[in-house]
Amino acid sequence: MDNNISTNYIPLQPPYKIIKHGNKIGVHIGTQILTILRGKSMSIETHNFPVVAVEDRISALNDKNISCESNGEGEVWDNVETKQVSELCELGAQLQWMDFIKILWHDHARLGNRHEKIQKVYIFNKILKYNGSQELPSSGQYTIHLHTESSGSVPEVVCSARDDIFALNVVWIDDPVALEQSIVSDLMEYLLIISPNQSARWWRMTYETDEEQLCPLIDRLNANAKATSFRNTLMASFKVTALIPYEENFDKFDTKPSSQPSPSRKKGRAKAPDFEEFIRDDAPHGFMDVLKEMLDGKTGKIAFAIILAALKWMKEEPPMQSVLNRFKSVKKTSYSTARDKHYKINNHQDDGKPIPEKELAQIREEIERKLKKWGGNSIK
């Protein structure tokens, strides 16, 4: 006897949930039930696939009096079952910042791989798009508590405490300088959320740990201006609207406005800093020569990956224009696309994917091999 297959659509009632699986995020409006009746064994096999609203229907769904009764109003995640998805929050909910942080940690746990980056910007952007607003943390003084998560006796990742103001998670690197840079880069991505396209003032972060192996990292972070303050950092990003600040009672620093008038700005675009300004003072002799050799003729993702890997020897990631000015083969469009995909920003929030740490580690190894030819342990 042949198998008998039938389908049935069950609409959900509002309030709807925002759900996620892997890189997919959508508003759950129904369930597509697939039932297979196997002839010979007379057994029944059932699969439940989530149906999510098409993007142009989501704003209407915020009205709790409107429901989706037809699966023609949505699309089926046919390779994902409902038991595999994470519920992020209720559609239209006004989330507090720490609720958002809990969502990030829950989603990261569901990914099943400690090495995965926390998808903070992508998740935030989707929730903001669907809900229209999102509460943000107020500036103030915060302590970030770092610890390792290990496989046996070998550390796999360094991460922040679950109730810290920012959710940080980076792959363990034996080199404390490279590990410091990874933490700072992970932290900087929050500027794309809390202060896009403008400077974020009045923030102070300090770092603590209970683990002796992290003490060198903690010392470096507490001495790093980028890790402890957002004051002089600017991150260009997507446009964010309808944000409601999340106010808590924190001690503020330097909260009095200056009595001096703001200096007038000259017209025209400011010149990008020279690329060499971003190289650490203790970078190995020959570092720029090696970088020029490796970037010769490179552009796009390859060029961006080389720069990203080379941050071990740099103070911070240089602006794109500084890279373009220094390395003539690097083209603006392809480099910008690679950077946006890595950080999942601008037009690549859905199809972006961070460059794997394993790939960056291989590039760093190649840089170090080439540096040996230049006497890599000598100081400039």
Side-chain angles (χ1 to χ4, degrees):
M1 184 181 296
D2 295 334
N3 295 337
N4 185 12
I5 301 175
S6 62
T7 60
N8 185 29
Y9 174 71
I10 305 298
L12 299 178
Q13 298 301 314
Y16 298 108
K17 304 289 186 181
I18 300 175
I19 61 173
K20 181 177 185 292
H21 181 270
N23 288 325
K24 292 181 176 180
I25 295 181
V27 177
H28 195 190
I29 61 172
T31 303
Q32 187 75 42
I33 302 176
L34 174 67
T35 303
I36 304 173
L37 176 61
R38 300 194 180 280
K40 292 183 178 180
S41 61
M42 294 300 292
S43 63
I44 298 177
E45 182 180 330
T46 303
H47 300 276
N48 298 327
F49 301 105
V51 178
V52 299
V54 294
E55 292 289 310
D56 59 0
R57 283 279 295 160
I58 290 173
S59 59
L61 295 180
N62 278 300
D63 183 345
K64 292 181 171 53
N65 294 320
I66 296 178
S67 62
C68 291
E69 299 297 333
S70 167
N71 61 352
E73 298 172 301
E75 56 183 28
V76 181
W77 285 358
D78 53 9
N79 59 340
V80 178
E81 296 206 40
T82 53
K83 63 184 179 182
Q84 297 173 301
V85 304
S86 299
E87 286 189 359
L88 299 185
C89 62
E90 185 177 298
L91 179 65
Q94 294 298 305
L95 296 177
Q96 292 188 351
W97 177 256
M98 293 312 297
D99 292 329
F100 173 67
I101 294 298
K102 290 177 182 177
I103 287 172
L104 294 184
W105 281 121
H106 176 70
D107 174 70
H108 188 258
R110 288 294 299 268
L111 293 177
N113 183 355
R114 288 175 176 167
H115 294 185
E116 291 284 348
K117 284 178 66 69
I118 293 176
Q119 300 177 0
K120 44 191 168 289
V121 177
Y122 175 56
I123 293 175
F124 175 84
N125 207 35
K126 280 291 189 181
I127 290 177
L128 178 64
K129 179 179 181 180
Y130 294 163
N131 290 346
S133 64
Q134 164 68 53
E135 291 179 330
L136 295 179
S138 61
S139 57
Q141 182 179 10
Y142 297 95
T143 300
I144 296 178
H145 308 81
L146 297 182
H147 65 277
T148 58
E149 292 186 355
S150 306
S151 176
S153 60
V154 180
E156 288 190 7
V157 295
V158 177
C159 50
S160 58
R162 295 301 188 264
D163 56 354
D164 282 348
I165 193 68
F166 298 120
L168 304 176
N169 186 85
V170 302
V171 176
W172 170 265
I173 306 171
D174 289 332
D175 185 347
V177 178
L179 190 55
E180 172 195 9
Q181 184 60 61
S182 293
I183 290 287
V184 172
S185 296
D186 203 29
L187 176 69
M188 288 298 105
E189 290 185 28
Y190 281 97
L191 279 177
L192 299 170
I193 294 174
I194 65 176
S195 187
N197 299 310
Q198 59 185 334
S199 177
R201 306 182 68 187
W202 325 128
W203 285 84
R204 296 291 187 275
M205 281 79 66
T206 56
Y207 298 82
E208 294 181 356
T209 186
D210 293 329
E211 300 181 29
E212 184 176 352
Q213 64 183 335
L214 289 180
C215 288
L217 172 65
I218 295 298
D219 292 341
R220 296 191 67 89
L221 288 171
N222 284 328
N224 187 322
K226 292 291 183 182
T228 55
S229 174
F230 294 142
R231 179 186 297 275
N232 297 318
T233 306
L234 179 67
M235 296 284 280
S237 176
F238 48 84
K239 181 180 180 182
V240 179
T241 58
L243 293 180
I244 304 172
Y246 169 42
E247 295 295 339
E248 278 199 14
N249 294 323
F250 290 104
D251 292 332
K252 301 295 191 298
F253 291 79
D254 304 326
T255 54
K256 293 182 179 180
S258 171
S259 60
Q260 299 297 324
S262 300
S264 59
R265 296 185 177 181
K266 294 181 180 180
K267 294 182 179 180
R269 179 176 297 176
K271 180 182 177 182
D274 291 337
F275 184 87
E276 282 80 355
E277 292 184 20
F278 296 90
I279 299 175
R280 298 178 69 103
D281 294 335
D282 59 351
H285 175 65
F287 174 70
M288 270 305 301
D289 298 275
V290 169
L291 211 52
K292 285 190 291 184
E293 177 187 341
M294 294 184 65
L295 282 166
D296 184 32
K298 305 296 194 304
T299 192
K301 180 182 176 181
I302 296 176
F304 176 70
I306 293 172
I307 294 295
L308 209 58
L311 293 181
K312 173 180 176 179
W313 297 276
M314 304 185 75
K315 300 172 184 176
E316 61 182 284
E317 183 181 334
M320 179 173 63
Q321 193 58 50
S322 298
V323 177
L324 300 180
N325 292 345
R326 189 64 180 83
F327 306 101
K328 300 304 180 183
S329 67
V330 180
K331 304 303 179 186
K332 181 176 181 179
T333 300
S334 57
Y335 188 88
S336 175
T337 298
R339 187 179 185 278
D340 289 354
K341 284 187 174 182
H342 175 76
Y343 292 118
K344 291 187 174 181
I345 58 175
N346 298 324
N347 295 325
H348 296 284
Q349 296 154 30
D350 293 336
D351 65 348
K353 183 179 181 181
I355 298 173
E357 175 57 33
K358 182 178 180 181
E359 184 176 329
L360 298 178
Q362 292 174 343
I363 297 174
R364 279 193 290 269
E365 290 174 1
E366 183 179 356
I367 294 174
E368 289 171 344
R369 285 195 298 269
K370 293 179 179 295
L371 283 171
K372 289 180 180 179
K373 299 179 181 179
W374 294 85
N377 294 324
S378 63
I379 305 300
K380 294 194 303 179

